Amino acid sequence: MTATDAAPGSATAGTSLTDLRMVWRMRAFEEKVRELRLAGDAVGSIHLGIGQEGVATGASGLAGPQDAVFATYRGHSWAISCGVPVEALFGEILGRDTGINGGRGGSAHLTAPAYRFFGENSIVGAGAPIACGAALAGRHDGSDRVALTVFGDGAMNQGAVHEAMNFASAFSLPVVFLCENNSWSELTPIDEMVRDPELFRRAAAYGMPGERIDGNDPQEVRERLGDAFEVAREGGGPTLVEAMTQRLVGHYIGDADQYRRPGERERDAEREPVALLTRRLRESGVSDDEITAAESDARAEMEAAAAAALAAPLADPATAKEHLYA
C-alpha cells in the first residue's frame, strides 16, 4: 500500500485536536532549541525535525513500558513522544546538570531508558542493529518487548540497516523498522540515490511486510504502526513502515538550505502536519480559538521549561567520568 492509496485517517475532532497539541509541543520545543542555539546558549551540532512531527505524534502511546524506542540524531520529538519531560530535555541540550543525562549527551546523544527511550545515535542507521539486540534480549527475559527503530531515507542505504532487517526477519524478531522519508538524505534527494524510490518495497527481499503511509497524518501512523506492533508482539516478526513526511528546515542548524527544488516549499507547506490537522479540525467545526490555543499553550510551556533549564547550573566537568562503569 502506498501513501496515495491509503484511506484518510478516521480521526475524530477530539483526537485530531489532541494530535495537534502534541505536534505543536514538538514544534515549539524545536523552534525554541533553534533560538537557543542561535543565541549561543546551546552549542554543538543540532538537527531539527520541524515538519516531521506527525510520525512521532502518531506513535505516541504505542510502545508499552517494556518496549524500546531507538531514534536518530533528529530525535527530540521522539523523546517527547515517549514522555520525557521537556525541562530535562532543554537541560540536556543546554549542558545543565538537570539534563536528562546530566548535560553529558547534548542534543544528538540524549537517552532516557526510564521512559523506554533508548536514545539517539549519531551514526546513520546504527539504531537498527541495536534494536535487534533489544528484541532478542526481550525474547530471553520474557518481557514481551517490541523494539521500534526510527531512521531516515538515507539510512536505508546503510549496510547496518540491511543486516538488521535480514537478522530480524531470519529470527522473526519483534522489531518495527520505521523509515521517516523526508525525501532528503542530508543535502541530496533520495530519488537521485536509488533506482526505486519506493523504499518500503525492499521489505519483500527480507520476507517481511512493508508499506508506505502518510507520515503527516498522526491517525494513519497510529493505525498502521499499531498493526506492526501487534504483528511483532504476536510473534509475527518484523515490519518495515515507510512514513512519508518532510522537514521544513535545513539538515542542521546553520544549513543554508538552498538546494530545494522549485515548488517544494509550497507543496510541503500544504501537507505538513500542522496544516493537515488544522484543515481537518476546521472542517469538523472546531473553533479557531481552540485551534490557536494548541500553539499558544505549547509555546508558553516551552518558554517556561527553557527558562527553568537556563536558570539551572551548568554540568560540572569534574563529573564527566561518572556513570562510565557499573
Side-chain angles (χ1 to χ4, degrees):
M1 178 183 292
T2 68
T4 53
D5 295 330
S10 56
T12 64
T15 301
S16 294
L17 188 56
T18 299
D19 286 340
L20 182 63
R21 287 183 174 277
M22 178 63 86
V23 166
W24 267 120
R25 290 187 73 235
M26 295 172 179
R27 185 164 301 186
F29 177 88
E30 294 217 295
E31 289 181 348
K32 187 62 182 179
V33 167
R34 179 172 58 187
E35 177 185 320
L36 293 167
R37 178 66 182 88
L38 294 176
D41 293 309
V43 297
S45 182
I46 297 177
H47 299 74
L48 303 176
I50 294 174
Q52 301 183 190
E53 304 92 349
V55 189
T57 293
S60 180
L62 292 179
Q66 77 280 16
D67 296 331
V69 178
F70 300 86
T72 69
Y73 47 73
R74 204 182 305 279
H76 301 155
S77 289
W78 284 98
I80 294 172
S81 174
C82 288
V84 182
V86 291
E87 185 177 327
L89 290 176
F90 276 121
E92 187 59 33
I93 294 168
L94 292 166
R96 263 52 181 184
D97 67 1
T98 55
I100 195 68
N101 304 123
R104 295 173 175 82
S107 170
H109 297 97
L110 60 87
T111 184
Y115 295 88
R116 66 192 176 278
F117 182 69
F118 286 83
E120 302 170 309
N121 201 309
S122 282
I123 302 174
V124 175
I130 300 172
C132 286
L136 189 61
R139 173 171 293 174
H140 292 291
D141 64 21
S143 64
D144 192 33
R145 177 183 300 117
V146 174
L148 171 65
T149 176
V150 187
F151 45 86
D153 46 284
M156 284 289 286
N157 293 332
Q158 290 285 357
V161 173
H162 288 274
E163 293 167 9
M165 288 194 289
N166 181 66
F167 186 79
S169 189
F171 292 95
S172 295
L173 295 179
V175 181
V176 177
F177 295 93
L178 177 58
C179 174
E180 290 181 304
N181 188 344
N182 62 25
S183 79
W184 287 95
S185 302
E186 295 193 354
L187 315 182
T188 306
I190 185 63
D191 59 15
E192 292 183 6
M193 299 177 63
V194 297
R195 186 160 188 167
D196 184 357
E198 293 189 310
L199 304 179
F200 75 97
R201 297 187 185 279
R202 298 186 185 184
Y206 300 104
M208 72 171 79
E211 67 174 330
R212 174 180 277 193
I213 65 173
D214 183 358
N216 295 320
D217 185 346
Q219 181 64 15
E220 184 172 328
V221 173
R222 185 176 300 114
E223 292 171 357
R224 307 312 300 145
L225 204 59
D227 290 344
F229 264 82
E230 185 176 353
V231 167
R233 210 174 303 281
E234 292 181 352
T239 298
L240 171 63
V241 177
E242 181 186 11
M244 303 304 293
T245 185
Q246 65 292 300
R247 57 173 163 84
L248 302 177
V249 293
H251 175 61
Y252 55 89
I253 296 179
D255 176 6
D257 198 21
Q258 295 177 331
Y259 42 80
R260 303 285 183 169
R261 291 165 167 175
E264 180 180 339
R265 294 183 190 278
E266 292 76 14
R267 290 191 299 272
D268 288 350
E270 285 294 316
R271 62 193 182 196
E272 58 93 7
V274 167
L276 183 150
L277 290 168
T278 297
R279 282 196 303 272
R280 181 173 293 167
L281 288 165
R282 284 177 175 155
E283 290 167 0
S284 299
V286 176
S287 71
D288 281 349
D289 286 345
E290 288 184 273
I291 293 171
T292 57
E295 177 181 359
S296 58
D297 290 350
R299 292 196 184 282
E301 178 190 3
M302 299 312 157
E303 287 293 333
L310 281 168
L314 289 165
D316 183 355
T319 67
K321 294 183 178 180
E322 293 181 5
H323 311 291
L324 292 182
Y325 303 97

